[in-house]
């Protein structure tokens, strides 16, 4: 796969300086590039920048009329696994709102069929797995992620084409995966369950089976992340979508160690690629998030940005965390919420995002305003006494 990297990545990277304790980046400029690197990529690497970058989780979604032209007539997997359609859906919000990040249209469950876990997405009900995992024999029968180019070719075509489309535009291409915990929970439950009953039963009665499943998924996801990077992803986000089902103690055993293995393996092989870790339900786990070695910590909307900044420090890059329901509010309410988030995060080390995905029915003009406010962030922060430093005002080529 190394030949693919050379084809899509116009930079050479120096070894990163990292703290012995955390493994995170401690130096700013780490790569030599032929031109200015994209804003979001620079901030995700921990560099200071001229303004706050912006993208939105689930920015390619049913709130957009252009998206519904596809979703109203085509099932989810046909849309996400037909590269030409996935490319178009990924680009729609970027064209409309000039987001600083373009994230491929896909799903966290997309790699599961390559392992032997088939799923479907039922309109109005969500993902469905007909044969959920319940035994060690099933775990042992899972296939390894050996050749994603053969089993998941549409992912490579989608990402590599998107990279060519946006190169030189100032936008950053994001790939993503679900965390092992979230994929394990889906695989055991077979569908979304408010109590995560089957998985919690396994956790408390057969923890060895759950750990074996988590281990298998972790090894598969390490390969899958590398596959996305070599196809052109510049930043990769780990979605711990079901983190809210875990207590801090459970997270420390069944989620974070496995996510950390993905971060460490990716960083070893692809040191130029920043990793974002987003936990839906991470608000009660700030100590764990602070210790996480991902380059960026994504925050849900159930905590204040000020509390997260205090817990994780001024130099930690944070992402988030406006309540997506604010986008149903008035222009004044949206401005107030975004301004509060920007000011509490501070003039550096912040990527503006919503604290959970944009939902169906969100007014498109509200998403446009959200993105416009990020582009005005330097002025907004200056008005609140947080003017960028001279280094931030004049971006330096990486």
């Amino acid at each position: 796969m190394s030949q693919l990297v050379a084809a899509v990545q116009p930079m050479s990277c120096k070894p990163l300086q990292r703290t012995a304790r955390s493994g995170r980046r401690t130096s700013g400029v780490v790569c030599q590039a032929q031109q200015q690197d994209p804003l979001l990529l620079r901030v995700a690497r921990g560099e200071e920048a001229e303004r706050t970058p912006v993208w939105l989780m689930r920015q390619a979604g049913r709130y957009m009329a252009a998206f519904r032209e596809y979703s109203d007539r085509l099932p989810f997997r046909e849309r996400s696994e037909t590269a030409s359609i996935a490319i178009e859906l990924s680009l729609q919000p970027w064209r409309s709102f000039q987001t600083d990040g373009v994230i491929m249209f896909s799903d966290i469950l997309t790699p599961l069929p390559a392992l032997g876990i088939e799923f479907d997405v039922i309109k109005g009900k969500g993902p469905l797995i007909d044969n959920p995992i319940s035994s060690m024999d099933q775990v042992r029968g899972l296939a390894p992620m050996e050749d994603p180019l053969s089993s998941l070719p549409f992912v490579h075509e989608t990402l590599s084409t998107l990279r060519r489309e946006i190169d030189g535009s100032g936008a950053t291409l994001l790939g993503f995966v679900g965390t092992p915990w979230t994929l394990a929970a889906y695989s055991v439950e077979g569908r979304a369950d408010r109590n995560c009953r089957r998985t919690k039963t396994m956790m408390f009665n057969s923890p060895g089976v759950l750990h074996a499943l988590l281990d298998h998924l972790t090894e598969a996801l390490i390969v899958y992340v590398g596959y996305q990077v070599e196809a052109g992803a510049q930043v990769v986000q780990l979605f711990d979508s079901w983190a809210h089902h875990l207590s801090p103690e459970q997270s420390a055993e069944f989620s974070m160690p496995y996510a950390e293995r993905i971060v460490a393996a990716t960083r070893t092989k692809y040191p130029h690629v920043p990793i974002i870790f987003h936990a839906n339900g991470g608000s009660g786990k700030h100590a764990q998030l602070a210790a996480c070695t991902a380059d960026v910590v994504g925050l849900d909307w159930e905590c204040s940005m000020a509390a997260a900044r205090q817990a994780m420090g001024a130099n930690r890059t944070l992402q988030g965390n406006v309540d997506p329901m604010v986008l149903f509010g008035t222009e004044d309410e949206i401005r107030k919420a975004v301004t509060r988030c920007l000011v509490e995060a501070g003039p550096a080390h912040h990527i503006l995002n919503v604290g959970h995905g944009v939902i169906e029915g969100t007014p498109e003009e509200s998403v446009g305003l959200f993105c416009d406010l990020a582009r005005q962030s330097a002025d907004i922060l200056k008005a609140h006494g947080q003017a960028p430093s001279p280094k931030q005002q004049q971006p330096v080529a990486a």
Side-chain angles (χ1 to χ4, degrees), residues 168-202:
S169 70
T172 297
L173 180 59
L174 295 102
F176 71 92
V177 300
T179 60
W181 158 252
T182 290
L183 293 192
Y186 265 116
S187 300
V188 173
E189 297 298 327
R191 65 185 71 206
D193 183 88
R194 64 181 298 178
N195 296 309
C196 213
R197 183 179 62 84
R198 289 169 57 96
T199 314
K200 287 294 189 75
T201 299
M202 181 181 288

PDB file of all heavy atoms in Angstrom, residues 168-202:
ATOM      1  N   GLY A 168      -5.475  21.354  -2.972  1.00  0.00           N
ATOM      2  CA  GLY A 168      -5.226  22.729  -3.364  1.00  0.00           C
ATOM      3  C   GLY A 168      -6.340  23.684  -3.024  1.00  0.00           C
ATOM      4  O   GLY A 168      -6.208  24.891  -3.231  1.00  0.00           O
ATOM      5  N   SER A 169      -7.452  23.166  -2.465  1.00  0.00           N
ATOM      6  CA  SER A 169      -8.610  24.011  -2.156  1.00  0.00           C
ATOM      7  C   SER A 169      -8.536  24.614  -0.765  1.00  0.00           C
ATOM      8  O   SER A 169      -9.309  25.520  -0.447  1.00  0.00           O
ATOM      9  CB  SER A 169      -9.893  23.188  -2.266  1.00  0.00           C
ATOM     10  OG  SER A 169      -9.962  22.239  -1.210  1.00  0.00           O
ATOM     11  N   GLY A 170      -7.666  24.087   0.083  1.00  0.00           N
ATOM     12  CA  GLY A 170      -7.620  24.511   1.480  1.00  0.00           C
ATOM     13  C   GLY A 170      -8.426  23.628   2.405  1.00  0.00           C
ATOM     14  O   GLY A 170      -8.421  23.835   3.621  1.00  0.00           O
ATOM     15  N   ALA A 171      -9.132  22.630   1.853  1.00  0.00           N
ATOM     16  CA  ALA A 171      -9.912  21.708   2.679  1.00  0.00           C
ATOM     17  C   ALA A 171      -9.081  20.475   3.019  1.00  0.00           C
ATOM     18  O   ALA A 171      -8.163  20.103   2.294  1.00  0.00           O
ATOM     19  CB  ALA A 171     -11.193  21.297   1.970  1.00  0.00           C
ATOM     20  N   THR A 172      -9.432  19.836   4.132  1.00  0.00           N
ATOM     21  CA  THR A 172      -8.767  18.629   4.611  1.00  0.00           C
ATOM     22  C   THR A 172      -9.702  17.445   4.432  1.00  0.00           C
ATOM     23  O   THR A 172     -10.894  17.530   4.732  1.00  0.00           O
ATOM     24  CB  THR A 172      -8.403  18.778   6.101  1.00  0.00           C
ATOM     25  OG1 THR A 172      -7.478  19.848   6.250  1.00  0.00           O
ATOM     26  CG2 THR A 172      -7.791  17.502   6.653  1.00  0.00           C
ATOM     27  N   LEU A 173      -9.156  16.312   3.975  1.00  0.00           N
ATOM     28  CA  LEU A 173      -9.958  15.101   3.800  1.00  0.00           C
ATOM     29  C   LEU A 173      -9.895  14.256   5.067  1.00  0.00           C
ATOM     30  O   LEU A 173      -8.812  13.878   5.522  1.00  0.00           O
ATOM     31  CB  LEU A 173      -9.449  14.292   2.605  1.00  0.00           C
ATOM     32  CG  LEU A 173     -10.200  12.985   2.317  1.00  0.00           C
ATOM     33  CD1 LEU A 173     -11.682  13.249   2.042  1.00  0.00           C
ATOM     34  CD2 LEU A 173      -9.549  12.256   1.134  1.00  0.00           C
ATOM     35  N   LEU A 174     -11.073  13.955   5.627  1.00  0.00           N
ATOM     36  CA  LEU A 174     -11.169  13.135   6.829  1.00  0.00           C
ATOM     37  C   LEU A 174     -11.690  11.746   6.506  1.00  0.00           C
ATOM     38  O   LEU A 174     -12.686  11.588   5.791  1.00  0.00           O
ATOM     39  CB  LEU A 174     -12.109  13.771   7.859  1.00  0.00           C
ATOM     40  CG  LEU A 174     -11.686  15.099   8.464  1.00  0.00           C
ATOM     41  CD1 LEU A 174     -12.438  16.249   7.809  1.00  0.00           C
ATOM     42  CD2 LEU A 174     -11.927  15.104   9.966  1.00  0.00           C
ATOM     43  N   GLY A 175     -11.008  10.738   7.038  1.00  0.00           N
ATOM     44  CA  GLY A 175     -11.552   9.401   7.091  1.00  0.00           C
ATOM     45  C   GLY A 175     -12.077   9.141   8.491  1.00  0.00           C
ATOM     46  O   GLY A 175     -11.901   9.966   9.394  1.00  0.00           O
ATOM     47  N   PHE A 176     -12.718   8.001   8.697  1.00  0.00           N
ATOM     48  CA  PHE A 176     -13.208   7.708  10.045  1.00  0.00           C
ATOM     49  C   PHE A 176     -13.473   6.223  10.215  1.00  0.00           C
ATOM     50  O   PHE A 176     -13.684   5.486   9.244  1.00  0.00           O
ATOM     51  CB  PHE A 176     -14.475   8.510  10.373  1.00  0.00           C
ATOM     52  CG  PHE A 176     -15.707   8.063   9.613  1.00  0.00           C
ATOM     53  CD1 PHE A 176     -16.575   7.120  10.150  1.00  0.00           C
ATOM     54  CD2 PHE A 176     -16.003   8.596   8.378  1.00  0.00           C
ATOM     55  CE1 PHE A 176     -17.703   6.710   9.466  1.00  0.00           C
ATOM     56  CE2 PHE A 176     -17.138   8.200   7.679  1.00  0.00           C
ATOM     57  CZ  PHE A 176     -17.997   7.256   8.223  1.00  0.00           C
ATOM     58  N   VAL A 177     -13.448   5.812  11.477  1.00  0.00           N
ATOM     59  CA  VAL A 177     -13.833   4.460  11.856  1.00  0.00           C
ATOM     60  C   VAL A 177     -14.589   4.533  13.171  1.00  0.00           C
ATOM     61  O   VAL A 177     -14.470   5.505  13.921  1.00  0.00           O
ATOM     62  CB  VAL A 177     -12.608   3.527  12.030  1.00  0.00           C
ATOM     63  CG1 VAL A 177     -11.821   3.413  10.740  1.00  0.00           C
ATOM     64  CG2 VAL A 177     -11.704   3.990  13.166  1.00  0.00           C
ATOM     65  N   GLY A 178     -15.373   3.512  13.458  1.00  0.00           N
ATOM     66  CA  GLY A 178     -15.922   3.362  14.788  1.00  0.00           C
ATOM     67  C   GLY A 178     -14.866   2.756  15.687  1.00  0.00           C
ATOM     68  O   GLY A 178     -13.932   2.085  15.225  1.00  0.00           O
ATOM     69  N   THR A 179     -14.979   2.976  16.976  1.00  0.00           N
ATOM     70  CA  THR A 179     -14.038   2.351  17.898  1.00  0.00           C
ATOM     71  C   THR A 179     -14.388   0.867  18.060  1.00  0.00           C
ATOM     72  O   THR A 179     -15.515   0.438  17.783  1.00  0.00           O
ATOM     73  CB  THR A 179     -14.089   3.006  19.280  1.00  0.00           C
ATOM     74  OG1 THR A 179     -15.418   2.861  19.811  1.00  0.00           O
ATOM     75  CG2 THR A 179     -13.705   4.472  19.208  1.00  0.00           C
ATOM     76  N   PRO A 180     -13.432   0.063  18.529  1.00  0.00           N
ATOM     77  CA  PRO A 180     -13.750  -1.349  18.768  1.00  0.00           C
ATOM     78  C   PRO A 180     -14.951  -1.547  19.691  1.00  0.00           C
ATOM     79  O   PRO A 180     -15.790  -2.418  19.433  1.00  0.00           O
ATOM     80  CB  PRO A 180     -12.456  -1.879  19.390  1.00  0.00           C
ATOM     81  CG  PRO A 180     -11.380  -1.033  18.780  1.00  0.00           C
ATOM     82  CD  PRO A 180     -11.989   0.348  18.702  1.00  0.00           C
ATOM     83  N   TRP A 181     -15.059  -0.736  20.758  1.00  0.00           N
ATOM     84  CA  TRP A 181     -16.197  -0.893  21.663  1.00  0.00           C
ATOM     85  C   TRP A 181     -17.509  -0.679  20.929  1.00  0.00           C
ATOM     86  O   TRP A 181     -18.441  -1.485  21.052  1.00  0.00           O
ATOM     87  CB  TRP A 181     -16.107   0.057  22.852  1.00  0.00           C
ATOM     88  CG  TRP A 181     -17.452   0.301  23.490  1.00  0.00           C
ATOM     89  CD1 TRP A 181     -18.206   1.426  23.436  1.00  0.00           C
ATOM     90  CD2 TRP A 181     -18.236  -0.660  24.219  1.00  0.00           C
ATOM     91  NE1 TRP A 181     -19.397   1.258  24.093  1.00  0.00           N
ATOM     92  CE2 TRP A 181     -19.442  -0.028  24.580  1.00  0.00           C
ATOM     93  CE3 TRP A 181     -18.039  -1.989  24.596  1.00  0.00           C
ATOM     94  CZ2 TRP A 181     -20.445  -0.676  25.299  1.00  0.00           C
ATOM     95  CZ3 TRP A 181     -19.043  -2.635  25.320  1.00  0.00           C
ATOM     96  CH2 TRP A 181     -20.226  -1.977  25.673  1.00  0.00           C
ATOM     97  N   THR A 182     -17.614   0.383  20.171  1.00  0.00           N
ATOM     98  CA  THR A 182     -18.873   0.686  19.498  1.00  0.00           C
ATOM     99  C   THR A 182     -19.222  -0.391  18.479  1.00  0.00           C
ATOM    100  O   THR A 182     -20.382  -0.828  18.385  1.00  0.00           O
ATOM    101  CB  THR A 182     -18.798   2.071  18.838  1.00  0.00           C
ATOM    102  OG1 THR A 182     -18.778   3.073  19.869  1.00  0.00           O
ATOM    103  CG2 THR A 182     -19.986   2.326  17.933  1.00  0.00           C
ATOM    104  N   LEU A 183     -18.246  -0.857  17.709  1.00  0.00           N
ATOM    105  CA  LEU A 183     -18.520  -1.905  16.731  1.00  0.00           C
ATOM    106  C   LEU A 183     -18.846  -3.227  17.422  1.00  0.00           C
ATOM    107  O   LEU A 183     -19.695  -3.998  16.941  1.00  0.00           O
ATOM    108  CB  LEU A 183     -17.336  -2.075  15.787  1.00  0.00           C
ATOM    109  CG  LEU A 183     -17.037  -0.906  14.848  1.00  0.00           C
ATOM    110  CD1 LEU A 183     -16.037  -1.328  13.782  1.00  0.00           C
ATOM    111  CD2 LEU A 183     -18.295  -0.371  14.193  1.00  0.00           C
ATOM    112  N   ALA A 184     -18.177  -3.503  18.541  1.00  0.00           N
ATOM    113  CA  ALA A 184     -18.495  -4.725  19.284  1.00  0.00           C
ATOM    114  C   ALA A 184     -19.926  -4.679  19.799  1.00  0.00           C
ATOM    115  O   ALA A 184     -20.668  -5.677  19.719  1.00  0.00           O
ATOM    116  CB  ALA A 184     -17.516  -4.904  20.442  1.00  0.00           C
ATOM    117  N   ALA A 185     -20.326  -3.536  20.340  1.00  0.00           N
ATOM    118  CA  ALA A 185     -21.682  -3.420  20.876  1.00  0.00           C
ATOM    119  C   ALA A 185     -22.728  -3.601  19.779  1.00  0.00           C
ATOM    120  O   ALA A 185     -23.731  -4.306  19.968  1.00  0.00           O
ATOM    121  CB  ALA A 185     -21.848  -2.074  21.571  1.00  0.00           C
ATOM    122  N   TYR A 186     -22.509  -2.983  18.626  1.00  0.00           N
ATOM    123  CA  TYR A 186     -23.430  -3.199  17.506  1.00  0.00           C
ATOM    124  C   TYR A 186     -23.459  -4.668  17.114  1.00  0.00           C
ATOM    125  O   TYR A 186     -24.518  -5.239  16.818  1.00  0.00           O
ATOM    126  CB  TYR A 186     -23.012  -2.357  16.304  1.00  0.00           C
ATOM    127  CG  TYR A 186     -23.722  -1.028  16.195  1.00  0.00           C
ATOM    128  CD1 TYR A 186     -23.023   0.165  16.303  1.00  0.00           C
ATOM    129  CD2 TYR A 186     -25.090  -0.959  15.947  1.00  0.00           C
ATOM    130  CE1 TYR A 186     -23.661   1.398  16.196  1.00  0.00           C
ATOM    131  CE2 TYR A 186     -25.744   0.259  15.831  1.00  0.00           C
ATOM    132  CZ  TYR A 186     -25.019   1.436  15.958  1.00  0.00           C
ATOM    133  OH  TYR A 186     -25.661   2.648  15.845  1.00  0.00           O
ATOM    134  N   SER A 187     -22.284  -5.306  17.083  1.00  0.00           N
ATOM    135  CA  SER A 187     -22.184  -6.692  16.627  1.00  0.00           C
ATOM    136  C   SER A 187     -22.856  -7.661  17.591  1.00  0.00           C
ATOM    137  O   SER A 187     -23.351  -8.716  17.178  1.00  0.00           O
ATOM    138  CB  SER A 187     -20.708  -7.081  16.451  1.00  0.00           C
ATOM    139  OG  SER A 187     -20.071  -6.259  15.500  1.00  0.00           O
ATOM    140  N   VAL A 188     -22.876  -7.332  18.862  1.00  0.00           N
ATOM    141  CA  VAL A 188     -23.500  -8.192  19.863  1.00  0.00           C
ATOM    142  C   VAL A 188     -24.994  -7.904  19.975  1.00  0.00           C
ATOM    143  O   VAL A 188     -25.819  -8.821  20.064  1.00  0.00           O
ATOM    144  CB  VAL A 188     -22.810  -8.031  21.228  1.00  0.00           C
ATOM    145  CG1 VAL A 188     -23.566  -8.793  22.319  1.00  0.00           C
ATOM    146  CG2 VAL A 188     -21.363  -8.523  21.145  1.00  0.00           C
ATOM    147  N   GLU A 189     -25.358  -6.622  19.963  1.00  0.00           N
ATOM    148  CA  GLU A 189     -26.776  -6.259  20.081  1.00  0.00           C
ATOM    149  C   GLU A 189     -27.557  -6.614  18.825  1.00  0.00           C
ATOM    150  O   GLU A 189     -28.721  -7.009  18.885  1.00  0.00           O
ATOM    151  CB  GLU A 189     -26.924  -4.759  20.362  1.00  0.00           C
ATOM    152  CG  GLU A 189     -26.333  -4.292  21.672  1.00  0.00           C
ATOM    153  CD  GLU A 189     -26.980  -4.934  22.876  1.00  0.00           C
ATOM    154  OE1 GLU A 189     -28.198  -5.223  22.828  1.00  0.00           O
ATOM    155  OE2 GLU A 189     -26.261  -5.161  23.867  1.00  0.00           O
ATOM    156  N   GLY A 190     -26.942  -6.412  17.673  1.00  0.00           N
ATOM    157  CA  GLY A 190     -27.631  -6.624  16.407  1.00  0.00           C
ATOM    158  C   GLY A 190     -28.414  -5.420  15.939  1.00  0.00           C
ATOM    159  O   GLY A 190     -28.841  -5.351  14.791  1.00  0.00           O
ATOM    160  N   ARG A 191     -28.577  -4.456  16.813  1.00  0.00           N
ATOM    161  CA  ARG A 191     -29.311  -3.221  16.508  1.00  0.00           C
ATOM    162  C   ARG A 191     -29.066  -2.251  17.669  1.00  0.00           C
ATOM    163  O   ARG A 191     -28.523  -2.636  18.703  1.00  0.00           O
ATOM    164  CB  ARG A 191     -30.809  -3.487  16.354  1.00  0.00           C
ATOM    165  CG  ARG A 191     -31.501  -3.947  17.628  1.00  0.00           C
ATOM    166  CD  ARG A 191     -32.949  -4.301  17.360  1.00  0.00           C
ATOM    167  NE  ARG A 191     -33.039  -5.535  16.578  1.00  0.00           N
ATOM    168  CZ  ARG A 191     -34.071  -5.819  15.798  1.00  0.00           C
ATOM    169  NH1 ARG A 191     -35.081  -4.959  15.696  1.00  0.00           N
ATOM    170  NH2 ARG A 191     -34.104  -6.951  15.130  1.00  0.00           N
ATOM    171  N   ALA A 192     -29.492  -1.015  17.498  1.00  0.00           N
ATOM    172  CA  ALA A 192     -29.379  -0.060  18.592  1.00  0.00           C
ATOM    173  C   ALA A 192     -30.277  -0.491  19.741  1.00  0.00           C
ATOM    174  O   ALA A 192     -31.435  -0.888  19.518  1.00  0.00           O
ATOM    175  CB  ALA A 192     -29.768   1.335  18.109  1.00  0.00           C
ATOM    176  N   ASP A 193     -29.743  -0.459  20.953  1.00  0.00           N
ATOM    177  CA  ASP A 193     -30.511  -0.834  22.134  1.00  0.00           C
ATOM    178  C   ASP A 193     -30.214   0.167  23.236  1.00  0.00           C
ATOM    179  O   ASP A 193     -29.044   0.406  23.568  1.00  0.00           O
ATOM    180  CB  ASP A 193     -30.140  -2.242  22.590  1.00  0.00           C
ATOM    181  CG  ASP A 193     -30.973  -2.697  23.786  1.00  0.00           C
ATOM    182  OD1 ASP A 193     -32.068  -3.255  23.579  1.00  0.00           O
ATOM    183  OD2 ASP A 193     -30.523  -2.464  24.939  1.00  0.00           O
ATOM    184  N   ARG A 194     -31.243   0.746  23.812  1.00  0.00           N
ATOM    185  CA  ARG A 194     -31.049   1.824  24.783  1.00  0.00           C
ATOM    186  C   ARG A 194     -30.323   1.358  26.033  1.00  0.00           C
ATOM    187  O   ARG A 194     -29.701   2.156  26.735  1.00  0.00           O
ATOM    188  CB  ARG A 194     -32.395   2.452  25.150  1.00  0.00           C
ATOM    189  CG  ARG A 194     -33.360   1.528  25.847  1.00  0.00           C
ATOM    190  CD  ARG A 194     -34.687   2.212  26.154  1.00  0.00           C
ATOM    191  NE  ARG A 194     -34.496   3.330  27.061  1.00  0.00           N
ATOM    192  CZ  ARG A 194     -35.485   4.132  27.462  1.00  0.00           C
ATOM    193  NH1 ARG A 194     -36.719   3.935  26.989  1.00  0.00           N
ATOM    194  NH2 ARG A 194     -35.250   5.111  28.300  1.00  0.00           N
ATOM    195  N   ASN A 195     -30.381   0.070  26.344  1.00  0.00           N
ATOM    196  CA  ASN A 195     -29.719  -0.444  27.543  1.00  0.00           C
ATOM    197  C   ASN A 195     -28.462  -1.249  27.241  1.00  0.00           C
ATOM    198  O   ASN A 195     -27.754  -1.645  28.170  1.00  0.00           O
ATOM    199  CB  ASN A 195     -30.688  -1.314  28.342  1.00  0.00           C
ATOM    200  CG  ASN A 195     -31.879  -0.529  28.861  1.00  0.00           C
ATOM    201  OD1 ASN A 195     -31.706   0.517  29.489  1.00  0.00           O
ATOM    202  ND2 ASN A 195     -33.080  -1.005  28.586  1.00  0.00           N
ATOM    203  N   CYS A 196     -28.202  -1.505  25.952  1.00  0.00           N
ATOM    204  CA  CYS A 196     -27.042  -2.310  25.570  1.00  0.00           C
ATOM    205  C   CYS A 196     -27.058  -3.636  26.350  1.00  0.00           C
ATOM    206  O   CYS A 196     -26.021  -4.098  26.846  1.00  0.00           O
ATOM    207  CB  CYS A 196     -25.762  -1.527  25.834  1.00  0.00           C
ATOM    208  SG  CYS A 196     -24.420  -1.857  24.678  1.00  0.00           S
ATOM    209  N   ARG A 197     -28.237  -4.245  26.430  1.00  0.00           N
ATOM    210  CA  ARG A 197     -28.447  -5.355  27.357  1.00  0.00           C
ATOM    211  C   ARG A 197     -27.602  -6.575  27.020  1.00  0.00           C
ATOM    212  O   ARG A 197     -26.949  -7.162  27.895  1.00  0.00           O
ATOM    213  CB  ARG A 197     -29.932  -5.739  27.396  1.00  0.00           C
ATOM    214  CG  ARG A 197     -30.250  -6.855  28.392  1.00  0.00           C
ATOM    215  CD  ARG A 197     -31.730  -7.178  28.396  1.00  0.00           C
ATOM    216  NE  ARG A 197     -32.182  -7.665  27.099  1.00  0.00           N
ATOM    217  CZ  ARG A 197     -32.083  -8.938  26.707  1.00  0.00           C
ATOM    218  NH1 ARG A 197     -31.534  -9.841  27.502  1.00  0.00           N
ATOM    219  NH2 ARG A 197     -32.534  -9.307  25.525  1.00  0.00           N
ATOM    220  N   ARG A 198     -27.600  -6.998  25.753  1.00  0.00           N
ATOM    221  CA  ARG A 198     -26.859  -8.212  25.391  1.00  0.00           C
ATOM    222  C   ARG A 198     -25.353  -8.030  25.627  1.00  0.00           C
ATOM    223  O   ARG A 198     -24.673  -8.930  26.125  1.00  0.00           O
ATOM    224  CB  ARG A 198     -27.126  -8.565  23.927  1.00  0.00           C
ATOM    225  CG  ARG A 198     -28.525  -9.091  23.650  1.00  0.00           C
ATOM    226  CD  ARG A 198     -28.792  -9.148  22.148  1.00  0.00           C
ATOM    227  NE  ARG A 198     -27.806  -9.964  21.464  1.00  0.00           N
ATOM    228  CZ  ARG A 198     -27.959 -11.244  21.150  1.00  0.00           C
ATOM    229  NH1 ARG A 198     -29.089 -11.862  21.473  1.00  0.00           N
ATOM    230  NH2 ARG A 198     -27.024 -11.913  20.513  1.00  0.00           N
ATOM    231  N   THR A 199     -24.851  -6.845  25.281  1.00  0.00           N
ATOM    232  CA  THR A 199     -23.412  -6.603  25.423  1.00  0.00           C
ATOM    233  C   THR A 199     -23.031  -6.492  26.889  1.00  0.00           C
ATOM    234  O   THR A 199     -21.990  -7.024  27.313  1.00  0.00           O
ATOM    235  CB  THR A 199     -23.011  -5.319  24.679  1.00  0.00           C
ATOM    236  OG1 THR A 199     -23.601  -5.318  23.381  1.00  0.00           O
ATOM    237  CG2 THR A 199     -21.504  -5.232  24.531  1.00  0.00           C
ATOM    238  N   LYS A 200     -23.857  -5.810  27.688  1.00  0.00           N
ATOM    239  CA  LYS A 200     -23.565  -5.714  29.112  1.00  0.00           C
ATOM    240  C   LYS A 200     -23.677  -7.094  29.793  1.00  0.00           C
ATOM    241  O   LYS A 200     -22.900  -7.414  30.709  1.00  0.00           O
ATOM    242  CB  LYS A 200     -24.517  -4.721  29.782  1.00  0.00           C
ATOM    243  CG  LYS A 200     -24.231  -3.252  29.460  1.00  0.00           C
ATOM    244  CD  LYS A 200     -22.899  -2.816  30.044  1.00  0.00           C
ATOM    245  CE  LYS A 200     -22.659  -1.334  29.949  1.00  0.00           C
ATOM    246  NZ  LYS A 200     -23.416  -0.517  30.892  1.00  0.00           N
ATOM    247  N   THR A 201     -24.615  -7.909  29.340  1.00  0.00           N
ATOM    248  CA  THR A 201     -24.717  -9.264  29.885  1.00  0.00           C
ATOM    249  C   THR A 201     -23.454 -10.051  29.587  1.00  0.00           C
ATOM    250  O   THR A 201     -22.916 -10.762  30.455  1.00  0.00           O
ATOM    251  CB  THR A 201     -25.945  -9.982  29.304  1.00  0.00           C
ATOM    252  OG1 THR A 201     -27.132  -9.260  29.667  1.00  0.00           O
ATOM    253  CG2 THR A 201     -26.054 -11.405  29.847  1.00  0.00           C
ATOM    254  N   MET A 202     -22.964  -9.928  28.361  1.00  0.00           N
ATOM    255  CA  MET A 202     -21.699 -10.581  28.007  1.00  0.00           C
ATOM    256  C   MET A 202     -20.549 -10.025  28.842  1.00  0.00           C
ATOM    257  O   MET A 202     -19.691 -10.768  29.323  1.00  0.00           O
ATOM    258  CB  MET A 202     -21.407 -10.389  26.512  1.00  0.00           C
ATOM    259  CG  MET A 202     -20.115 -11.046  26.036  1.00  0.00           C
ATOM    260  SD  MET A 202     -19.799 -10.755  24.274  1.00  0.00           S
ATOM    261  CE  MET A 202     -21.049 -11.806  23.522  1.00  0.00           C
TER     262      MET A 202
END
